[in-house]
Amino acid sequence: MTLVVFIVSLLGAMAIGVPVAFSLMFCGVVLMWYMGMFNTQIIAQNMIAGADTFTLLAIPFFILAGELMNAGGLSRRIIDFAIACVGHIRGGLGIVAIMAAVIMASISGSAAADTAALAAILIPMMAKAGYNVPRSAGLIAAGGVIAPVIPPSMAFIVFGVAANVSITQLFMAGIVPGLIMGIALVATWLLVVRKDDIQPLPRTPMKERVGATGRALWALGMPVIILGGIKAGVVTPTEAAVVAAVYALFVGMVIYRELKPRDLPGVILQAAKTTAVIMFLVCAALVSSWLITAANIPSEITGFISPLIDRPTLLMFVIMLVVLVVGTALDLTPTILILTPVLMPIIKQAGIDPVYFGVLFIMNTCIGLLTPPVGVVLNVVSGVGRVPLGKVIVGVTPFLVAQILVLFLLVLFPDIVIVPARWLH
Amino acid sequence: EFNDRNIRVSNGINEDHPVGNGIKAMQACLDQKSGGKLKLTAFWGGALGGDLQATQALRSGVQEAVVTSSSPLVGIIPALGVFDLPFLFANAQEAYTVLDGDFGDMMNEKLEAAGLVNLAYWENGFRNLSNSVRPVTKWEDFEGMKVRVMQNNIFLDTFQNLGANATPMAFGEVFSALETKAIDAQENPYVTIDTSKFFEVQKYVTETNHAYTPFLFLFSKPIFDSYTPEEQAALRECAVVGRDEERKVIQDLNKKSLEKIKEAGLEVNTLSAEEQARIREKSMVVYEKHKAEIGAEVVDAILAKLEEIRK
Amino acid sequence: MQKAIDTFYKLLELLLIVLLAGMAVMVFLNVVLRYGFNSGINVSDEMSRYFFVWLTFIGAVVTFRENSHVGVETLVSLFGRKGRIICMILSNIVVIAVSAIFFWGTWKQSPINASMAAPVTGISMLWVYGIGYFTGAGVVLIALERLVRLLTGRVTEEEIAAFAGENMTLEQLAERT
Ligand code: NA
Ligand code: NA
């Protein structure tokens, strides 16, 4: 019954347009009242204690690193590098988009920012080369959502803190599934464009190729610093984030000289605002999560699905379907924050590896960024690439299907995630 | 005169910690005394928030109980810092005598003034040092070692005073920081070194016994005051039953954990009596530095009591 | 009056920049000190967390004013103008209620936080947890002003469109992932 109160109050508030953070607070208030323990201090204390966590400091720093990367010209050089490498292949610009998306994913954690940078540069180029524009836009959108799966990733940090799972392990476990997503997209792309009449780019001369690689080298150094730093033990994920931000600042200002000191306040302010939006949501979710725990809601759900507890694969399948459905209407961070406290006790009880679950869960919420009616990355591509939203939705469909297939492949064969994760950690 | 009560007990540690056994024993005692009306619902692994957050919730009457180490609470009751002083107790028996006697009662009064009823002193136990760099058998060995400590000034000063580079770090980050050698060392009871798998990423352990921190079984005073005298008495008595069980289990487990650590191939060292005395002597500056903020009368009282026991 | 309000928000934005930059400097300095010089500043770990709390809760007010908080506009966007206005009224009432509760809880919790000192820096925790006063009051004021305009028919078409999730800027979209 508490479960019903939780769902109805939360969905009801969101449906009439209350922002998700305030809806979570509202749901918390209703739960308190229903449980006969109304106390305003529960709201105040849990809200603020939520932000008082050192691990979460990685979020503003990775956001800042991403903003600095775009403002400092790092994204542009990564795309140039990808063009020099694979631009001349048939269907090459699509491969360029995915290659650049994967590299950018290993630097930034934001799907929207990566997608915007890719769409702004590549959609006009692809249109000029004769590619179907909505399909190209769809591919870029699908490539953009790899960002939170490959580390660094705000989504992993939020999940790791909410679920009490090692962020370093999540980061390492995300690499291979992220790459598989990229490979699946390239394969799908080559399949759908095989009959199209396209003009491949001329092969880049060797000299120019070396030049583009040289220019991109500083940008390509960033994933090495982030992952290498964490792996080699110089830094914790939080510290890796701040090192990444300082590195992006240095490269943008000193090496590429595209970032001017006067741009800096604007870049920092934007990162601060993005941080506030995400963190306020995290804090509000911790209020409802405290009450979910205190009310023992997960055990109520376990009661319903107890027949599935002994069949982890089937359980994962069902949970992934639920997350897909939730993801159609809810953005990435709220999905993670609302479902984690409810699902984690069940996952633990079923004996499913929490890191494996985390990777699939995040991958699934990323797919949610591509599913209408609420698919933020679709809106970004539509806005930046000036392609009507309806056409982007049509264009993204084959790639969306490919990613869902990858997801369920990983449900059936958990070792694809678990084995390389163990090897990398 | 027993009402149906659901008592939520927050724990930062996991259920497999001896506190879990203590809570079971306490529940059995409560069942017997209250006819099953007083129910403890334990939450593990910080599910209801960190120890400090839970303690604040107790003070405001939001939540019933928490089992927490004394160290994080010095911001609320500075006198509790006395238990963080290095090399205070020489063995567990000394600690029991002091905590379960007048001195413990005096500290309980200070807790009550802050809105917290301490039902009993459970055991977190003696803390020992593990590291991945070199065997530590004398204080010079601490030189330059990167040691993770709790966010607590007395611990910071204790290790800095010994020449180590004391780094405060959240507990959840310790394992990977040790594994990747971002830090060299950490200090915790054997049980924690075992259950948190720190021994997998460390080479040396030294039985420093540098601090004995008690667990406090704290109850919210606003809520406790609303209970009937019979309920209050049952809680106090059963918390003692739980304490005895928890102390017994943790003592056994400490031995088992040490065995496990040895089996894992770690080199285990002890400090010689002379070295122990030397380090204690060197650490007296930490006592002096923190005496005022802990309260001179508290420090003097515990030292006097210890002297009396040791006679 | 409007000018004073705008200046106030400019100051808040400046504060946000200082807080984020300050956090970055403190954490980065500690990495350099620890890795390069095998030392560290104990207060920076704690202070950077408090900066983070202030950044979050001051930023929450600034972004609330800009309608940037993540919402689900699916249902609302299906309604006509009148339906949207009714939803806006209800939504603002909910926001006012929960923010007032946040403020109230901060007030009731104040003596408890005031009597607790931060472990390393020793500052009163009221400085940290007291930020609930600012956020609670700030959001209530903004939402009350909106509510008054909604009830007196002075709401702009732009606001209604923003409420239904239309015309979001790229920055606002980025804040959602
Ligand atoms: Na990423
Ligand atoms: Na969606």
Side-chain angles (χ1 to χ4, degrees):
Chain A
M1 192 52 208
T2 328
L3 180 65
V4 177
V5 174
F6 164 67
I7 294 174
V8 169
S9 60
L10 183 62
L11 292 188
M14 290 196 300
I16 59 164
V18 178
V20 181
F22 295 97
S23 300
L24 282 161
M25 290 166 79
F26 176 72
C27 158
V29 173
V30 173
L31 275 177
M32 285 193 311
W33 169 79
Y34 176 76
M35 289 156 68
M37 49 181 288
F38 182 82
N39 189 326
T40 57
Q41 284 147 287
I42 293 180
I43 304 281
Q45 204 68 7
N46 283 302
M47 280 292 280
I48 294 171
D52 188 8
T53 308
F54 188 72
T55 314
L56 288 172
L57 277 177
I59 290 177
F61 297 149
F62 277 130
I63 292 171
L64 189 58
E67 296 274 344
L68 288 166
M69 177 182 83
N70 284 332
L74 278 77
S75 309
R76 166 87 238 181
R77 277 158 185 89
I78 289 170
I79 295 171
D80 285 348
F81 167 71
I83 291 173
C85 289
V86 291
H88 59 279
I89 303 173
R90 211 188 127 72
L93 277 176
I95 308 174
V96 166
I98 299 307
M99 185 175 162
V102 167
I103 297 174
M104 283 161 72
S106 62
I107 295 175
S108 111
S110 161
D114 285 12
T115 314
L118 288 167
I121 300 170
L122 284 174
I123 292 183
M125 283 179 78
M126 293 175 89
K128 210 171 128 202
Y131 291 96
N132 174 315
V133 173
R135 190 185 286 152
S136 308
L139 177 76
I140 287 171
V145 303
I146 298 175
V149 180
I150 292 183
S153 156
M154 258 75 79
F156 278 145
I157 296 168
V158 171
F159 172 77
V161 169
N164 206 359
V165 174
S166 155
I167 288 160
T168 307
Q169 280 187 35
L170 286 167
F171 273 16
M172 296 302 159
I175 299 174
V176 170
L179 293 175
I180 295 176
M181 281 171 95
I183 293 167
L185 289 181
V186 170
T188 314
W189 168 256
L190 291 177
L191 196 71
V192 294
V193 296
R194 70 190 184 283
K195 284 184 195 138
D196 290 11
D197 177 32
I198 337 145
Q199 205 63 44
L201 293 182
R203 179 181 281 271
T204 323
M206 202 53 192
K207 201 177 151 207
E208 220 172 285
R209 226 185 262 193
V210 172
T213 310
R215 283 189 295 277
L217 222 49
W218 282 97
L220 296 174
M222 220 155 122
V224 179
I225 290 182
I226 296 172
L227 287 182
I230 297 174
K231 184 88 187 78
V234 182
V235 287
T236 62
T238 308
E239 294 169 340
V242 79
V243 172
V246 172
Y247 182 79
L249 179 72
F250 170 76
V251 175
M253 274 184 129
V254 181
I255 307 291
Y256 295 161
R257 294 170 190 247
E258 284 188 24
L259 191 65
K260 301 279 175 273
R262 65 167 180 278
D263 304 331
L264 217 47
V267 172
I268 297 176
L269 180 61
Q270 185 51 46
K273 284 183 181 173
T274 308
T275 304
V277 169
I278 294 179
M279 278 307 301
F280 190 63
L281 199 53
V282 170
C283 293
L286 289 174
V287 173
S288 58
S289 141
W290 191 90
L291 285 154
I292 290 170
T293 312
N296 257 329
I297 289 182
S299 67
E300 212 173 312
I301 299 176
T302 321
F304 292 131
I305 58 154
S306 51
L308 289 179
I309 289 287
D310 297 328
R311 296 181 193 148
T313 309
L314 194 58
L315 178 66
M316 274 302 278
F317 188 83
V318 172
I319 289 178
M320 286 301 126
L321 277 183
V322 172
V323 176
L324 265 183
V325 172
V326 172
T328 58
L330 210 55
D331 287 318
L332 180 117
T333 317
T335 310
I336 299 171
L337 289 168
I338 292 170
L339 292 183
T340 302
V342 180
L343 293 178
M344 259 339 262
I346 301 169
I347 294 298
K348 279 189 192 150
Q349 207 185 333
I352 297 172
D353 179 355
V355 174
Y356 162 73
F357 170 72
V359 171
L360 263 66
F361 181 42
I362 299 306
M363 194 187 241
N364 199 335
T365 53
C366 289
I367 292 173
L369 295 169
L370 298 175
T371 52
V374 180
V376 174
V377 168
L378 297 176
N379 295 75
V380 171
V381 172
S382 155
V384 177
R386 298 204 178 76
V387 187
L389 190 61
K391 288 195 169 176
V392 180
I393 293 174
V394 174
V396 83
T397 307
F399 309 111
L400 181 63
V401 170
Q403 289 188 335
I404 294 175
L405 287 178
V406 169
L407 179 75
F408 284 104
L409 183 80
L410 300 186
V411 170
L412 287 177
F413 305 103
D415 280 347
I416 302 176
V417 180
I418 294 171
V419 170
R422 208 174 289 148
W423 180 70
L424 281 166
H425 188 67
Chain B
E1 285 101 277
F2 284 96
N3 301 293
D4 280 311
R5 309 273 190 196
N6 178 24
I7 298 162
R8 286 164 301 175
V9 188
S10 175
N11 294 275
I13 47 188
N14 291 326
E15 194 171 1
D16 54 8
H17 190 280
V19 168
N21 304 70
I23 289 200
K24 275 204 199 85
M26 182 169 168
Q27 180 66 64
C29 167
L30 285 174
D31 283 344
Q32 200 204 355
K33 283 198 197 299
S34 73
K37 291 205 163 168
L38 299 183
K39 275 266 168 273
L40 300 174
T41 309
F43 292 87
W44 303 98
L48 279 185
D51 288 342
L52 196 53
Q53 193 188 342
T55 306
Q56 294 291 67
L58 259 56
R59 297 176 72 201
S60 44
V62 162
Q63 188 189 313
E64 290 81 6
V66 64
V67 179
T68 172
S69 153
S70 59
S71 306
L73 309 188
V74 293
I76 304 169
I77 301 118
L80 286 176
V82 73
F83 298 124
D84 297 330
L85 287 172
F87 307 101
L88 184 69
F89 297 118
N91 54 54
Q93 200 46 55
E94 275 189 16
Y96 299 161
T97 312
V98 171
L99 293 170
D100 304 341
D102 305 341
F103 184 82
D105 292 342
M106 182 182 100
M107 298 302 280
N108 288 346
E109 281 166 28
K110 292 184 190 291
L111 284 156
E112 285 222 31
L116 299 162
V117 177
N118 182 25
L119 297 182
Y121 290 93
W122 291 24
E123 178 158 289
N124 187 4
F126 279 107
R127 306 175 76 89
N128 294 308
L129 182 92
S130 76
N131 81 88
S132 56
V133 193
R134 57 178 166 263
V136 172
T137 54
K138 54 186 184 302
W139 70 255
E140 287 84 354
D141 295 330
F142 284 94
E143 188 61 44
M145 194 176 273
K146 275 180 260 187
V147 185
R148 178 267 172 181
V149 294
M150 282 187 282
Q151 287 230 328
N152 173 307
N153 281 332
I154 300 181
F155 276 98
L156 278 164
D157 284 342
T158 298
F159 283 92
Q160 263 156 8
N161 177 50
L162 290 170
N165 174 13
T167 311
M169 184 180 281
F171 186 79
E173 291 188 5
V174 177
F175 183 87
S176 71
L178 287 172
E179 184 183 31
T180 56
K181 306 229 163 34
I183 51 169
D184 305 319
Q186 64 82 42
E187 47 86 40
N188 264 300
Y190 283 142
V191 175
T192 313
I193 298 179
D194 172 15
T195 52
S196 300
K197 306 257 184 291
F198 292 154
F199 67 89
E200 290 180 0
V201 288
Q202 298 275 269
K203 288 203 190 99
Y204 307 97
V205 170
T206 302
E207 191 157 303
T208 46
N209 284 346
H210 57 272
Y212 174 95
T213 40
F215 270 135
L216 311 176
F217 198 117
L218 295 178
F219 215 92
S220 161
K221 187 164 191 307
I223 299 178
F224 196 74
D225 288 347
S226 72
Y227 284 12
T228 65
E230 290 79 6
E231 289 168 344
Q232 294 181 347
L235 282 168
R236 284 191 192 277
E237 287 158 26
C238 293
V240 171
V241 172
R243 174 196 78 190
D244 293 341
E245 174 69 8
E246 194 257 355
R247 281 182 183 171
K248 190 165 77 67
V249 176
I250 204 169
Q251 294 284 355
D252 291 345
L253 196 60
N254 255 323
K255 290 192 195 100
K256 281 189 197 131
S257 293
L258 180 58
E259 281 313 306
K260 200 163 155 193
I261 291 166
K262 280 180 181 161
E263 269 167 39
L266 275 81
E267 182 183 326
V268 179
N269 296 291
T270 48
L271 295 177
S272 65
E274 307 86 73
E275 194 54 36
Q276 191 107 25
R278 225 176 125 231
I279 297 184
R280 181 175 295 148
E281 200 50 47
K282 187 174 166 62
S283 299
M284 287 321 283
V285 290
V286 180
Y287 281 61
E288 285 312 312
K289 187 174 171 193
H290 292 280
K291 196 168 180 179
E293 72 189 59
I294 294 171
E297 78 289 355
V298 177
V299 178
D300 291 340
I302 201 165
L303 291 178
K305 179 81 193 168
L306 283 166
E307 205 171 326
E308 185 192 314
I309 300 171
R310 284 169 190 165
K311 252 179 219 161
Chain C
M1 182 63 187
Q2 191 55 45
K3 213 177 156 196
I5 294 173
D6 288 343
T7 313
F8 177 65
Y9 279 103
K10 276 273 165 264
L11 282 175
L12 287 185
E13 292 192 339
L14 187 67
L15 191 57
L16 292 180
I17 295 172
V18 171
L19 288 171
L20 180 49
M23 274 160 63
V25 168
M26 283 188 281
V27 177
F28 185 68
L29 206 63
N30 248 7
V31 178
V32 172
L33 284 176
R34 203 180 63 207
Y35 190 57
F37 304 94
N38 204 8
S39 72
I41 308 167
N42 297 332
V43 296
S44 87
D45 188 81
E46 197 171 276
M47 271 327 278
S48 54
R49 264 176 22 232
Y50 298 158
F51 271 39
F52 189 36
V53 172
W54 294 324
L55 170 74
T56 300
F57 287 90
I58 294 171
V61 175
V62 175
T63 47
F64 180 69
R65 184 183 181 234
E66 295 168 357
N67 286 309
S68 296
H69 283 288
V70 185
V72 179
E73 294 91 356
T74 319
L75 187 69
V76 173
S77 62
L78 297 177
F79 294 151
R81 190 172 186 278
K82 201 167 172 196
R84 289 181 183 188
I85 289 180
I86 293 172
C87 284
M88 279 175 93
I89 292 173
L90 291 174
S91 163
N92 275 296
I93 290 174
V94 170
V95 169
I96 290 169
V98 296
S99 304
I101 287 175
F102 185 21
F103 185 93
W104 180 15
T106 307
W107 181 68
K108 280 181 67 183
Q109 189 77 10
S110 278
I112 285 161
N113 286 319
S115 61
M116 181 181 145
V120 179
T121 51
I123 64 168
S124 158
M125 289 308 275
L126 192 55
W127 281 104
V128 182
Y129 283 75
I131 193 70
Y133 285 126
F134 176 83
T135 308
V139 172
V140 166
L141 286 177
I142 295 169
L144 260 182
E145 191 260 355
R146 281 182 191 158
L147 191 61
V148 169
R149 279 192 296 109
L150 278 162
L151 293 171
T152 53
R154 285 182 295 139
V155 64
T156 65
E157 295 307 313
E158 271 173 334
E159 278 178 285
I160 299 175
F163 181 72
E166 289 162 9
N167 310 325
M168 262 191 282
T169 64
L170 192 59
E171 283 75 23
Q172 284 172 324
L173 286 172
E175 283 162 11
R176 295 189 149 204
T177 50

